[in-house]
PDB file of all heavy atoms in Angstrom:
ATOM      1  N   PRO G 156      90.980  77.498  87.443  1.00 88.00           N
ATOM      2  CA  PRO G 156      91.019  76.143  86.891  1.00 88.00           C
ATOM      3  C   PRO G 156      91.614  76.175  85.483  1.00 88.00           C
ATOM      4  O   PRO G 156      91.328  77.080  84.697  1.00 88.00           O
ATOM      5  CB  PRO G 156      89.546  75.721  86.867  1.00 88.00           C
ATOM      6  CG  PRO G 156      88.868  76.619  87.860  1.00 88.00           C
ATOM      7  CD  PRO G 156      89.611  77.912  87.805  1.00 88.00           C
ATOM      8  N   LEU G 245      80.487  82.693  86.042  1.00 96.00           N
ATOM      9  CA  LEU G 245      79.102  82.230  86.125  1.00 96.00           C
ATOM     10  C   LEU G 245      78.608  82.101  87.561  1.00 96.00           C
ATOM     11  O   LEU G 245      79.354  81.713  88.457  1.00 96.00           O
ATOM     12  CB  LEU G 245      78.956  80.867  85.436  1.00 96.00           C
ATOM     13  CG  LEU G 245      79.414  80.782  83.978  1.00 96.00           C
ATOM     14  CD1 LEU G 245      79.280  79.356  83.479  1.00 96.00           C
ATOM     15  CD2 LEU G 245      78.621  81.745  83.106  1.00 96.00           C
ATOM     16  N   VAL G 246      77.335  82.414  87.757  1.00 97.00           N
ATOM     17  CA  VAL G 246      76.640  82.177  89.024  1.00 97.00           C
ATOM     18  C   VAL G 246      75.334  81.469  88.702  1.00 97.00           C
ATOM     19  O   VAL G 246      74.618  81.847  87.773  1.00 97.00           O
ATOM     20  CB  VAL G 246      76.355  83.495  89.772  1.00 97.00           C
ATOM     21  CG1 VAL G 246      75.468  83.232  90.987  1.00 97.00           C
ATOM     22  CG2 VAL G 246      77.649  84.158  90.209  1.00 97.00           C
ATOM     23  N   VAL G 247      75.041  80.438  89.481  1.00 97.00           N
ATOM     24  CA  VAL G 247      73.790  79.706  89.317  1.00 97.00           C
ATOM     25  C   VAL G 247      72.843  80.104  90.442  1.00 97.00           C
ATOM     26  O   VAL G 247      73.177  79.970  91.629  1.00 97.00           O
ATOM     27  CB  VAL G 247      74.025  78.186  89.346  1.00 97.00           C
ATOM     28  CG1 VAL G 247      72.690  77.445  89.200  1.00 97.00           C
ATOM     29  CG2 VAL G 247      74.977  77.772  88.228  1.00 97.00           C
ATOM     30  N   GLY G 248      71.676  80.612  90.071  1.00 97.00           N
ATOM     31  CA  GLY G 248      70.629  80.882  91.043  1.00 97.00           C
ATOM     32  C   GLY G 248      69.744  79.660  91.181  1.00 97.00           C
ATOM     33  O   GLY G 248      69.403  79.023  90.174  1.00 97.00           O
ATOM     34  N   VAL G 249      69.393  79.310  92.402  1.00 97.00           N
ATOM     35  CA  VAL G 249      68.586  78.109  92.628  1.00 97.00           C
ATOM     36  C   VAL G 249      67.423  78.426  93.568  1.00 97.00           C
ATOM     37  O   VAL G 249      67.544  79.235  94.484  1.00 97.00           O
ATOM     38  CB  VAL G 249      69.422  76.950  93.216  1.00 97.00           C
ATOM     39  CG1 VAL G 249      70.381  76.407  92.190  1.00 97.00           C
ATOM     40  CG2 VAL G 249      70.161  77.390  94.465  1.00 97.00           C
ATOM     41  N   ALA G 257      68.574  66.385  96.957  1.00 94.00           N
ATOM     42  CA  ALA G 257      69.838  66.940  96.462  1.00 94.00           C
ATOM     43  C   ALA G 257      70.098  66.498  95.032  1.00 94.00           C
ATOM     44  O   ALA G 257      70.602  67.270  94.204  1.00 94.00           O
ATOM     45  CB  ALA G 257      70.982  66.525  97.379  1.00 94.00           C
ATOM     46  N   ASP G 258      69.758  65.240  94.707  1.00 95.00           N
ATOM     47  CA  ASP G 258      69.984  64.754  93.348  1.00 95.00           C
ATOM     48  C   ASP G 258      69.170  65.550  92.336  1.00 95.00           C
ATOM     49  O   ASP G 258      69.636  65.817  91.216  1.00 95.00           O
ATOM     50  CB  ASP G 258      69.614  63.273  93.248  1.00 95.00           C
ATOM     51  CG  ASP G 258      70.621  62.367  93.942  1.00 95.00           C
ATOM     52  OD1 ASP G 258      71.731  62.850  94.251  1.00 95.00           O
ATOM     53  OD2 ASP G 258      70.294  61.188  94.182  1.00 95.00           O
ATOM     54  N   VAL G 260      68.157  68.776  92.696  1.00 95.00           N
ATOM     55  CA  VAL G 260      68.720  70.125  92.574  1.00 95.00           C
ATOM     56  C   VAL G 260      70.030  70.080  91.793  1.00 95.00           C
ATOM     57  O   VAL G 260      70.238  70.835  90.831  1.00 95.00           O
ATOM     58  CB  VAL G 260      68.950  70.756  93.962  1.00 95.00           C
ATOM     59  CG1 VAL G 260      69.537  72.154  93.815  1.00 95.00           C
ATOM     60  CG2 VAL G 260      67.643  70.823  94.745  1.00 95.00           C
ATOM     61  N   ALA G 261      70.937  69.182  92.189  1.00 95.00           N
ATOM     62  CA  ALA G 261      72.230  69.102  91.525  1.00 95.00           C
ATOM     63  C   ALA G 261      72.085  68.658  90.073  1.00 95.00           C
ATOM     64  O   ALA G 261      72.794  69.153  89.180  1.00 95.00           O
ATOM     65  CB  ALA G 261      73.147  68.141  92.286  1.00 95.00           C
ATOM     66  N   GLY G 262      71.169  67.741  89.830  1.00 95.00           N
ATOM     67  CA  GLY G 262      70.955  67.290  88.458  1.00 95.00           C
ATOM     68  C   GLY G 262      70.428  68.390  87.565  1.00 95.00           C
ATOM     69  O   GLY G 262      70.821  68.509  86.396  1.00 95.00           O
ATOM     70  N   LEU G 263      69.539  69.209  88.112  1.00 96.00           N
ATOM     71  CA  LEU G 263      69.009  70.333  87.343  1.00 96.00           C
ATOM     72  C   LEU G 263      70.113  71.321  86.993  1.00 96.00           C
ATOM     73  O   LEU G 263      70.209  71.790  85.849  1.00 96.00           O
ATOM     74  CB  LEU G 263      67.910  71.032  88.144  1.00 96.00           C
ATOM     75  CG  LEU G 263      67.356  72.336  87.545  1.00 96.00           C
ATOM     76  CD1 LEU G 263      66.674  72.070  86.209  1.00 96.00           C
ATOM     77  CD2 LEU G 263      66.396  73.007  88.525  1.00 96.00           C
ATOM     78  N   VAL G 264      70.957  71.642  87.973  1.00 96.00           N
ATOM     79  CA  VAL G 264      72.050  72.582  87.732  1.00 96.00           C
ATOM     80  C   VAL G 264      72.991  72.033  86.664  1.00 96.00           C
ATOM     81  O   VAL G 264      73.370  72.727  85.714  1.00 96.00           O
ATOM     82  CB  VAL G 264      72.812  72.866  89.040  1.00 96.00           C
ATOM     83  CG1 VAL G 264      74.096  73.651  88.752  1.00 96.00           C
ATOM     84  CG2 VAL G 264      71.932  73.630  90.014  1.00 96.00           C
ATOM     85  N   GLY G 265      73.386  70.769  86.814  1.00 95.00           N
ATOM     86  CA  GLY G 265      74.292  70.176  85.843  1.00 95.00           C
ATOM     87  C   GLY G 265      73.710  70.128  84.447  1.00 95.00           C
ATOM     88  O   GLY G 265      74.409  70.419  83.457  1.00 95.00           O
ATOM     89  N   GLN G 266      72.431  69.800  84.327  1.00 95.00           N
ATOM     90  CA  GLN G 266      71.803  69.727  83.018  1.00 95.00           C
ATOM     91  C   GLN G 266      71.666  71.110  82.392  1.00 95.00           C
ATOM     92  O   GLN G 266      71.836  71.272  81.176  1.00 95.00           O
ATOM     93  CB  GLN G 266      70.432  69.077  83.143  1.00 95.00           C
ATOM     94  CG  GLN G 266      69.822  68.667  81.796  1.00 95.00           C
ATOM     95  CD  GLN G 266      70.654  67.612  81.093  1.00 95.00           C
ATOM     96  OE1 GLN G 266      71.046  66.621  81.685  1.00 95.00           O
ATOM     97  NE2 GLN G 266      70.942  67.851  79.805  1.00 95.00           N
ATOM     98  N   ALA G 267      71.355  72.109  83.214  1.00 96.00           N
ATOM     99  CA  ALA G 267      71.233  73.470  82.685  1.00 96.00           C
ATOM    100  C   ALA G 267      72.561  73.947  82.107  1.00 96.00           C
ATOM    101  O   ALA G 267      72.608  74.545  81.023  1.00 96.00           O
ATOM    102  CB  ALA G 267      70.763  74.411  83.794  1.00 96.00           C
ATOM    103  N   LEU G 268      73.650  73.694  82.819  1.00 96.00           N
ATOM    104  CA  LEU G 268      74.969  74.089  82.327  1.00 96.00           C
ATOM    105  C   LEU G 268      75.322  73.321  81.057  1.00 96.00           C
ATOM    106  O   LEU G 268      75.832  73.891  80.081  1.00 96.00           O
ATOM    107  CB  LEU G 268      76.029  73.847  83.406  1.00 96.00           C
ATOM    108  CG  LEU G 268      75.940  74.734  84.652  1.00 96.00           C
ATOM    109  CD1 LEU G 268      76.869  74.224  85.743  1.00 96.00           C
ATOM    110  CD2 LEU G 268      76.273  76.187  84.319  1.00 96.00           C
ATOM    111  N   SER G 269      75.054  72.030  81.063  1.00 95.00           N
ATOM    112  CA  SER G 269      75.384  71.204  79.902  1.00 95.00           C
ATOM    113  C   SER G 269      74.602  71.631  78.667  1.00 95.00           C
ATOM    114  O   SER G 269      75.155  71.773  77.573  1.00 95.00           O
ATOM    115  CB  SER G 269      75.101  69.730  80.225  1.00 95.00           C
ATOM    116  OG  SER G 269      75.344  68.912  79.102  1.00 95.00           O
ATOM    117  N   LEU G 273      78.034  75.332  78.882  1.00 96.00           N
ATOM    118  CA  LEU G 273      78.846  76.082  79.834  1.00 96.00           C
ATOM    119  C   LEU G 273      79.623  75.131  80.738  1.00 96.00           C
ATOM    120  O   LEU G 273      79.138  74.049  81.080  1.00 96.00           O
ATOM    121  CB  LEU G 273      77.961  76.993  80.682  1.00 96.00           C
ATOM    122  CG  LEU G 273      77.159  78.053  79.919  1.00 96.00           C
ATOM    123  CD1 LEU G 273      76.179  78.750  80.854  1.00 96.00           C
ATOM    124  CD2 LEU G 273      78.100  79.060  79.270  1.00 96.00           C
ATOM    125  N   SER G 274      80.794  75.548  81.141  1.00 95.00           N
ATOM    126  CA  SER G 274      81.641  74.713  81.989  1.00 95.00           C
ATOM    127  C   SER G 274      81.319  74.925  83.454  1.00 95.00           C
ATOM    128  O   SER G 274      81.311  76.074  83.932  1.00 95.00           O
ATOM    129  CB  SER G 274      83.119  75.031  81.754  1.00 95.00           C
ATOM    130  OG  SER G 274      83.925  74.373  82.715  1.00 95.00           O
ATOM    131  N   PRO G 275      81.106  73.861  84.214  1.00 96.00           N
ATOM    132  CA  PRO G 275      80.887  74.013  85.661  1.00 96.00           C
ATOM    133  C   PRO G 275      82.113  74.551  86.385  1.00 96.00           C
ATOM    134  O   PRO G 275      81.993  75.066  87.505  1.00 96.00           O
ATOM    135  CB  PRO G 275      80.547  72.586  86.120  1.00 96.00           C
ATOM    136  CG  PRO G 275      81.061  71.687  85.057  1.00 96.00           C
ATOM    137  CD  PRO G 275      80.978  72.455  83.778  1.00 96.00           C
ATOM    138  N   LEU G 276      83.286  74.470  85.761  1.00 94.00           N
ATOM    139  CA  LEU G 276      84.496  75.002  86.388  1.00 94.00           C
ATOM    140  C   LEU G 276      84.468  76.526  86.479  1.00 94.00           C
ATOM    141  O   LEU G 276      85.263  77.116  87.219  1.00 94.00           O
ATOM    142  CB  LEU G 276      85.735  74.562  85.610  1.00 94.00           C
ATOM    143  CG  LEU G 276      86.065  73.067  85.635  1.00 94.00           C
ATOM    144  CD1 LEU G 276      87.260  72.767  84.733  1.00 94.00           C
ATOM    145  CD2 LEU G 276      86.342  72.598  87.065  1.00 94.00           C
ATOM    146  N   CYS G 277      83.574  77.151  85.739  1.00 95.00           N
ATOM    147  CA  CYS G 277      83.488  78.612  85.748  1.00 95.00           C
ATOM    148  C   CYS G 277      82.406  79.134  86.690  1.00 95.00           C
ATOM    149  O   CYS G 277      82.201  80.344  86.793  1.00 95.00           O
ATOM    150  CB  CYS G 277      83.239  79.148  84.343  1.00 95.00           C
ATOM    151  SG  CYS G 277      84.591  78.782  83.200  1.00 95.00           S
ATOM    152  N   VAL G 278      81.712  78.228  87.365  1.00 96.00           N
ATOM    153  CA  VAL G 278      80.703  78.633  88.342  1.00 96.00           C
ATOM    154  C   VAL G 278      81.402  79.013  89.641  1.00 96.00           C
ATOM    155  O   VAL G 278      82.188  78.231  90.183  1.00 96.00           O
ATOM    156  CB  VAL G 278      79.686  77.501  88.589  1.00 96.00           C
ATOM    157  CG1 VAL G 278      78.692  77.906  89.670  1.00 96.00           C
ATOM    158  CG2 VAL G 278      78.960  77.154  87.292  1.00 96.00           C
ATOM    159  N   THR G 279      81.129  80.194  90.143  1.00 95.00           N
ATOM    160  CA  THR G 279      81.796  80.683  91.350  1.00 95.00           C
ATOM    161  C   THR G 279      80.952  80.502  92.605  1.00 95.00           C
ATOM    162  O   THR G 279      81.503  80.450  93.709  1.00 95.00           O
ATOM    163  CB  THR G 279      82.147  82.168  91.212  1.00 95.00           C
ATOM    164  OG1 THR G 279      80.932  82.922  91.029  1.00 95.00           O
ATOM    165  CG2 THR G 279      83.071  82.397  90.039  1.00 95.00           C
ATOM    166  N   GLU G 280      79.631  80.399  92.453  1.00 96.00           N
ATOM    167  CA  GLU G 280      78.774  80.239  93.626  1.00 96.00           C
ATOM    168  C   GLU G 280      77.358  79.882  93.207  1.00 96.00           C
ATOM    169  O   GLU G 280      76.959  80.106  92.055  1.00 96.00           O
ATOM    170  CB  GLU G 280      78.757  81.502  94.482  1.00 96.00           C
ATOM    171  CG  GLU G 280      78.301  82.739  93.745  1.00 96.00           C
ATOM    172  CD  GLU G 280      78.589  84.019  94.510  1.00 96.00           C
ATOM    173  OE1 GLU G 280      79.107  83.942  95.626  1.00 96.00           O
ATOM    174  OE2 GLU G 280      78.272  85.096  93.978  1.00 96.00           O
ATOM    175  N   LEU G 281      76.634  79.296  94.141  1.00 97.00           N
ATOM    176  CA  LEU G 281      75.194  79.145  94.015  1.00 97.00           C
ATOM    177  C   LEU G 281      74.546  80.239  94.855  1.00 97.00           C
ATOM    178  O   LEU G 281      75.065  80.602  95.911  1.00 97.00           O
ATOM    179  CB  LEU G 281      74.742  77.770  94.514  1.00 97.00           C
ATOM    180  CG  LEU G 281      74.469  76.703  93.445  1.00 97.00           C
ATOM    181  CD1 LEU G 281      75.729  76.426  92.669  1.00 97.00           C
ATOM    182  CD2 LEU G 281      73.920  75.428  94.072  1.00 97.00           C
ATOM    183  N   ALA G 282      73.428  80.772  94.381  1.00 97.00           N
ATOM    184  CA  ALA G 282      72.759  81.857  95.094  1.00 97.00           C
ATOM    185  C   ALA G 282      71.284  81.534  95.241  1.00 97.00           C
ATOM    186  O   ALA G 282      70.658  80.957  94.343  1.00 97.00           O
ATOM    187  CB  ALA G 282      72.940  83.181  94.332  1.00 97.00           C
ATOM    188  N   PRO G 291      68.549  71.419 102.741  1.00 95.00           N
ATOM    189  CA  PRO G 291      69.580  70.391 102.536  1.00 95.00           C
ATOM    190  C   PRO G 291      69.922  70.140 101.072  1.00 95.00           C
ATOM    191  O   PRO G 291      71.094  69.970 100.723  1.00 95.00           O
ATOM    192  CB  PRO G 291      68.978  69.155 103.210  1.00 95.00           C
ATOM    193  CG  PRO G 291      68.046  69.692 104.238  1.00 95.00           C
ATOM    194  CD  PRO G 291      67.465  70.932 103.633  1.00 95.00           C
ATOM    195  N   GLY G 292      68.924  70.095 100.207  1.00 95.00           N
ATOM    196  CA  GLY G 292      69.191  69.815  98.802  1.00 95.00           C
ATOM    197  C   GLY G 292      70.030  70.893  98.141  1.00 95.00           C
ATOM    198  O   GLY G 292      70.921  70.599  97.334  1.00 95.00           O
ATOM    199  N   ILE G 293      69.775  72.157  98.485  1.00 96.00           N
ATOM    200  CA  ILE G 293      70.556  73.264  97.921  1.00 96.00           C
ATOM    201  C   ILE G 293      71.965  73.267  98.494  1.00 96.00           C
ATOM    202  O   ILE G 293      72.951  73.443  97.765  1.00 96.00           O
ATOM    203  CB  ILE G 293      69.849  74.607  98.186  1.00 96.00           C
ATOM    204  CG1 ILE G 293      68.513  74.650  97.434  1.00 96.00           C
ATOM    205  CG2 ILE G 293      70.733  75.770  97.777  1.00 96.00           C
ATOM    206  CD1 ILE G 293      67.711  75.923  97.672  1.00 96.00           C
ATOM    207  N   VAL G 294      72.065  73.066  99.797  1.00 96.00           N
ATOM    208  CA  VAL G 294      73.382  73.036 100.435  1.00 96.00           C
ATOM    209  C   VAL G 294      74.242  71.929  99.837  1.00 96.00           C
ATOM    210  O   VAL G 294      75.424  72.114  99.534  1.00 96.00           O
ATOM    211  CB  VAL G 294      73.235  72.848 101.963  1.00 96.00           C
ATOM    212  CG1 VAL G 294      74.595  72.638 102.611  1.00 96.00           C
ATOM    213  CG2 VAL G 294      72.526  74.041 102.580  1.00 96.00           C
ATOM    214  N   GLU G 295      73.660  70.767  99.622  1.00 96.00           N
ATOM    215  CA  GLU G 295      74.404  69.631  99.065  1.00 96.00           C
ATOM    216  C   GLU G 295      74.781  69.890  97.608  1.00 96.00           C
ATOM    217  O   GLU G 295      75.879  69.513  97.158  1.00 96.00           O
ATOM    218  CB  GLU G 295      73.588  68.357  99.185  1.00 96.00           C
ATOM    219  CG  GLU G 295      74.196  67.128  98.530  1.00 96.00           C
ATOM    220  CD  GLU G 295      75.547  66.726  99.092  1.00 96.00           C
ATOM    221  OE1 GLU G 295      75.891  67.178 100.206  1.00 96.00           O
ATOM    222  OE2 GLU G 295      76.264  65.948  98.424  1.00 96.00           O
ATOM    223  N   ALA G 296      73.912  70.527  96.858  1.00 96.00           N
ATOM    224  CA  ALA G 296      74.231  70.841  95.461  1.00 96.00           C
ATOM    225  C   ALA G 296      75.441  71.764  95.370  1.00 96.00           C
ATOM    226  O   ALA G 296      76.308  71.584  94.504  1.00 96.00           O
ATOM    227  CB  ALA G 296      73.023  71.477  94.778  1.00 96.00           C
ATOM    228  N   ALA G 297      75.503  72.749  96.266  1.00 96.00           N
ATOM    229  CA  ALA G 297      76.671  73.638  96.288  1.00 96.00           C
ATOM    230  C   ALA G 297      77.926  72.861  96.653  1.00 96.00           C
ATOM    231  O   ALA G 297      78.998  73.072  96.067  1.00 96.00           O
ATOM    232  CB  ALA G 297      76.434  74.784  97.266  1.00 96.00           C
ATOM    233  N   ARG G 298      77.795  71.946  97.599  1.00 95.00           N
ATOM    234  CA  ARG G 298      78.961  71.156  98.004  1.00 95.00           C
ATOM    235  C   ARG G 298      79.473  70.298  96.857  1.00 95.00           C
ATOM    236  O   ARG G 298      80.664  70.211  96.605  1.00 95.00           O
ATOM    237  CB  ARG G 298      78.605  70.276  99.198  1.00 95.00           C
ATOM    238  CG  ARG G 298      79.807  69.568  99.823  1.00 95.00           C
ATOM    239  CD  ARG G 298      79.396  68.410 100.700  1.00 95.00           C
ATOM    240  NE  ARG G 298      78.813  67.329  99.919  1.00 95.00           N
ATOM    241  CZ  ARG G 298      79.529  66.442  99.217  1.00 95.00           C
ATOM    242  NH1 ARG G 298      80.844  66.520  99.176  1.00 95.00           N
ATOM    243  NH2 ARG G 298      78.916  65.487  98.548  1.00 95.00           N
ATOM    244  N   ARG G 299      78.557  69.670  96.135  1.00 95.00           N
ATOM    245  CA  ARG G 299      78.968  68.823  95.020  1.00 95.00           C
ATOM    246  C   ARG G 299      79.651  69.627  93.927  1.00 95.00           C
ATOM    247  O   ARG G 299      80.572  69.141  93.269  1.00 95.00           O
ATOM    248  CB  ARG G 299      77.753  68.091  94.447  1.00 95.00           C
ATOM    249  CG  ARG G 299      77.153  67.057  95.371  1.00 95.00           C
ATOM    250  CD  ARG G 299      76.012  66.326  94.674  1.00 95.00           C
ATOM    251  NE  ARG G 299      75.276  65.462  95.606  1.00 95.00           N
ATOM    252  CZ  ARG G 299      74.243  64.718  95.245  1.00 95.00           C
ATOM    253  NH1 ARG G 299      73.819  64.729  93.969  1.00 95.00           N
ATOM    254  NH2 ARG G 299      73.611  63.963  96.139  1.00 95.00           N
ATOM    255  N   LEU G 300      79.179  70.848  93.726  1.00 94.00           N
ATOM    256  CA  LEU G 300      79.794  71.690  92.699  1.00 94.00           C
ATOM    257  C   LEU G 300      81.094  72.315  93.187  1.00 94.00           C
ATOM    258  O   LEU G 300      81.886  72.824  92.397  1.00 94.00           O
ATOM    259  CB  LEU G 300      78.804  72.775  92.275  1.00 94.00           C
ATOM    260  CG  LEU G 300      79.011  73.440  90.910  1.00 94.00           C
ATOM    261  CD1 LEU G 300      79.019  72.404  89.787  1.00 94.00           C
ATOM    262  CD2 LEU G 300      77.918  74.472  90.649  1.00 94.00           C
ATOM    263  N   GLY G 301      81.306  72.284  94.505  1.00 93.00           N
ATOM    264  CA  GLY G 301      82.535  72.831  95.069  1.00 93.00           C
ATOM    265  C   GLY G 301      82.557  74.333  95.141  1.00 93.00           C
ATOM    266  O   GLY G 301      83.620  74.957  95.050  1.00 93.00           O
ATOM    267  N   VAL G 302      81.390  74.964  95.345  1.00 95.00           N
ATOM    268  CA  VAL G 302      81.302  76.420  95.399  1.00 95.00           C
ATOM    269  C   VAL G 302      80.522  76.833  96.643  1.00 95.00           C
ATOM    270  O   VAL G 302      79.746  76.050  97.191  1.00 95.00           O
ATOM    271  CB  VAL G 302      80.618  76.998  94.138  1.00 95.00           C
ATOM    272  CG1 VAL G 302      81.418  76.670  92.892  1.00 95.00           C
ATOM    273  CG2 VAL G 302      79.183  76.489  94.010  1.00 95.00           C
ATOM    274  N   PRO G 303      80.707  78.069  97.109  1.00 96.00           N
ATOM    275  CA  PRO G 303      79.944  78.536  98.272  1.00 96.00           C
ATOM    276  C   PRO G 303      78.493  78.826  97.907  1.00 96.00           C
ATOM    277  O   PRO G 303      78.152  79.003  96.734  1.00 96.00           O
ATOM    278  CB  PRO G 303      80.678  79.817  98.686  1.00 96.00           C
ATOM    279  CG  PRO G 303      81.338  80.302  97.434  1.00 96.00           C
ATOM    280  CD  PRO G 303      81.706  79.061  96.666  1.00 96.00           C
ATOM    281  N   LEU G 304      77.657  78.877  98.932  1.00 97.00           N
ATOM    282  CA  LEU G 304      76.245  79.230  98.773  1.00 97.00           C
ATOM    283  C   LEU G 304      76.037  80.628  99.311  1.00 97.00           C
ATOM    284  O   LEU G 304      76.342  80.908 100.470  1.00 97.00           O
ATOM    285  CB  LEU G 304      75.360  78.232  99.526  1.00 97.00           C
ATOM    286  CG  LEU G 304      73.843  78.508  99.505  1.00 97.00           C
ATOM    287  CD1 LEU G 304      73.302  78.399  98.086  1.00 97.00           C
ATOM    288  CD2 LEU G 304      73.117  77.553 100.443  1.00 97.00           C
ATOM    289  N   ARG G 305      75.519  81.526  98.464  1.00 96.00           N
ATOM    290  CA  ARG G 305      75.233  82.901  98.883  1.00 96.00           C
ATOM    291  C   ARG G 305      73.725  83.091  98.966  1.00 96.00           C
ATOM    292  O   ARG G 305      72.996  82.581  98.119  1.00 96.00           O
ATOM    293  CB  ARG G 305      75.830  83.906  97.894  1.00 96.00           C
ATOM    294  CG  ARG G 305      75.514  85.343  98.247  1.00 96.00           C
ATOM    295  CD  ARG G 305      75.977  86.329  97.203  1.00 96.00           C
ATOM    296  NE  ARG G 305      77.427  86.465  97.190  1.00 96.00           N
ATOM    297  CZ  ARG G 305      78.052  87.496  96.620  1.00 96.00           C
ATOM    298  NH1 ARG G 305      77.355  88.470  96.037  1.00 96.00           N
ATOM    299  NH2 ARG G 305      79.363  87.563  96.628  1.00 96.00           N
ATOM    300  N   CYS G 366      66.303  76.660  88.517  1.00 96.00           N
ATOM    301  CA  CYS G 366      67.641  77.272  88.471  1.00 96.00           C
ATOM    302  C   CYS G 366      67.713  78.212  87.288  1.00 96.00           C
ATOM    303  O   CYS G 366      66.907  78.138  86.349  1.00 96.00           O
ATOM    304  CB  CYS G 366      68.743  76.214  88.412  1.00 96.00           C
ATOM    305  SG  CYS G 366      69.077  75.549  86.781  1.00 96.00           S
ATOM    306  N   ALA G 367      68.676  79.111  87.345  1.00 97.00           N
ATOM    307  CA  ALA G 367      68.992  80.035  86.260  1.00 97.00           C
ATOM    308  C   ALA G 367      70.482  80.323  86.349  1.00 97.00           C
ATOM    309  O   ALA G 367      71.089  80.195  87.420  1.00 97.00           O
ATOM    310  CB  ALA G 367      68.183  81.327  86.375  1.00 97.00           C
ATOM    311  N   VAL G 368      71.085  80.713  85.238  1.00 97.00           N
ATOM    312  CA  VAL G 368      72.525  80.980  85.200  1.00 97.00           C
ATOM    313  C   VAL G 368      72.751  82.382  84.646  1.00 97.00           C
ATOM    314  O   VAL G 368      72.170  82.753  83.614  1.00 97.00           O
ATOM    315  CB  VAL G 368      73.281  79.951  84.333  1.00 97.00           C
ATOM    316  CG1 VAL G 368      74.787  80.225  84.378  1.00 97.00           C
ATOM    317  CG2 VAL G 368      72.978  78.528  84.793  1.00 97.00           C
ATOM    318  N   ALA G 369      73.573  83.149  85.347  1.00 97.00           N
ATOM    319  CA  ALA G 369      73.939  84.495  84.888  1.00 97.00           C
ATOM    320  C   ALA G 369      75.447  84.571  84.716  1.00 97.00           C
ATOM    321  O   ALA G 369      76.207  83.841  85.363  1.00 97.00           O
ATOM    322  CB  ALA G 369      73.458  85.545  85.881  1.00 97.00           C
TER     323      ALA G 369
END
Side-chain angles (χ1 to χ4, degrees):
L245 304 177
V246 172
V247 179
V249 290
D258 287 345
V260 180
L263 173 63
V264 170
Q266 193 63 48
L268 292 169
S269 177
L273 299 172
S274 171
L276 293 176
C277 297
V278 177
T279 61
E280 58 193 358
L281 260 61
I293 295 178
V294 173
E295 175 61 17
R298 189 197 67 79
R299 292 184 189 180
L300 201 57
V302 298
L304 177 64
R305 178 186 288 198
C366 82
V368 183

